[in-house]
Amino acid sequence: MDATNSETRRFVILISGRGSNMQALVKVLADPALKARVCAVISNRPDASGLEWARRQGLETVALDHRAYASRELFDAALGDAVASFRPDYILLAGFMRVLTDAFVQRFERRIVNIHPSLLPAFPGMHTHRQALAAGVAWHGCTVHFVTPVLDHGPIIAQAAVPVEAHDSEETLAQRVLQVEHPLYARAARWLAQGRVSLDGQGRVSITGNPMRSFWLAADEGRIAPGEQE
């Protein structure tokens, strides 16, 4: 999708828990310099604490308990109808702990964006930090990508890397990756809101202005580098 700069982009965010990435996305998309609107935050868990945070920001929320549906297909059909009612340009997965069915992904083709805690195509699926430590890699990180029917295998928008240290555990490595997840996803969301992201005929991402799309954890932790002039 490549909207014109005159349009207001509409976003729906899907979460399953506290939604720390969701909070970073909401904050960046609230920038008055952007023509963007978070139309709703939707969760498959009614008790997700991120829903309460979203309500406090004045955002519309929807809770659809996946346990109330007899099959994954029935839940995804209901979820799709809920999402479609907000007419989103993009659907941002922010800690949404459900594998989406092919039918859902195809319904919103090229509009679903996810952040995965590894440098894809390495370590798809669950327990990515455990996989990275077992493989003995020197670098780990996260990837913002478009969602396709193949799990954790879609066109890459941006990536951020962190070093793997000698005495890392899954927990310490996960925390280091989280430090780059928030700013990376926020940056990608800004590009989407600006209408700068498109897919070419081979399904590869291009971004107007050709900004840097690879980052690493800066010395003053919590910042990604290098940055572009915005």
Side-chain angles (χ1 to χ4, degrees), residues 38-53:
V38 176
C39 301
V41 175
I42 301 177
S43 178
N44 65 303
R45 298 188 63 88
D47 60 348
S49 59
L51 290 175
E52 180 56 34
W53 184 91

Side-chain angles (χ1 to χ4, degrees), residues 151-201:
L151 180 66
D152 298 328
H153 185 80
I156 291 172
I157 299 173
Q159 292 183 305
V162 302
V164 179
E165 299 179 358
H167 301 293
D168 265 330
S169 64
E170 288 183 59
E171 292 73 21
T172 59
L173 186 54
Q175 184 57 43
R176 194 173 306 114
V177 171
L178 191 62
Q179 290 174 358
V180 295
E181 279 189 33
H182 296 170
L184 184 74
Y185 210 175
R187 185 171 298 241
R190 178 178 290 274
W191 291 334
L192 293 168
Q194 291 169 331
R196 297 169 62 184
V197 181
S198 60
L199 290 166
D200 66 18

Side-chain angles (χ1 to χ4, degrees), residues 8-216:
T8 296
R9 279 86 186 173
R10 299 170 61 86
F11 293 85
V12 167
I13 302 176
L14 303 187
I15 65 171
S16 291
R18 63 191 178 94
S20 62
N21 269 312
M22 177 262 302
Q23 295 180 26
L25 293 170
V26 168
K27 290 173 183 176
V28 73
L29 293 172
D31 183 348
L34 296 176
K35 293 182 178 179
R37 179 185 173 193
V38 176
C39 301
V41 175
I42 301 177
S43 178
N44 65 303
R45 298 188 63 88
D47 60 348
S49 59
L51 290 175
E52 180 56 34
W53 184 91
R55 293 186 193 108
R56 291 199 301 268
Q57 315 314 306
L59 298 174
E60 187 163 351
T61 63
V62 177
L64 284 177
D65 192 340
H66 64 274
R67 295 166 295 187
Y69 295 83
S71 69
R72 184 178 297 275
E73 289 73 20
L74 287 173
F75 172 74
D76 273 16
L79 177 64
D81 290 344
V83 168
S85 71
F86 294 101
R87 297 178 291 108
D89 294 294
Y90 291 107
I91 301 155
L92 306 179
L93 309 184
F96 186 67
M97 304 304 291
R98 298 278 299 176
V99 176
L100 295 168
T101 58
D102 290 0
F104 184 97
V105 174
Q106 290 163 357
R107 181 175 182 178
F108 301 101
E109 186 178 12
R110 295 191 170 199
R111 289 193 281 161
I112 309 172
V113 177
N114 182 47
I115 187 163
H116 181 74
S118 80
L119 295 173
L120 293 175
F123 313 133
M126 301 291 287
H127 308 299
T128 61
H129 312 306
R130 184 184 307 171
Q131 293 183 61
L133 291 172
V137 296
W139 292 90
H140 190 38
C142 57
T143 303
V144 178
H145 66 100
F146 283 103
V147 173
T148 67
V150 180
L151 180 66
D152 298 328
H153 185 80
I156 291 172
I157 299 173
Q159 292 183 305
V162 302
V164 179
E165 299 179 358
H167 301 293
D168 265 330
S169 64
E170 288 183 59
E171 292 73 21
T172 59
L173 186 54
Q175 184 57 43
R176 194 173 306 114
V177 171
L178 191 62
Q179 290 174 358
V180 295
E181 279 189 33
H182 296 170
L184 184 74
Y185 210 175
R187 185 171 298 241
R190 178 178 290 274
W191 291 334
L192 293 168
Q194 291 169 331
R196 297 169 62 184
V197 181
S198 60
L199 290 166
D200 66 18
Q202 287 72 48
R204 294 172 300 194
V205 171
S206 62
I207 301 174
T208 303
N210 296 314
M212 180 68 71
R213 296 197 287 135
S214 57
F215 304 91
W216 59 87

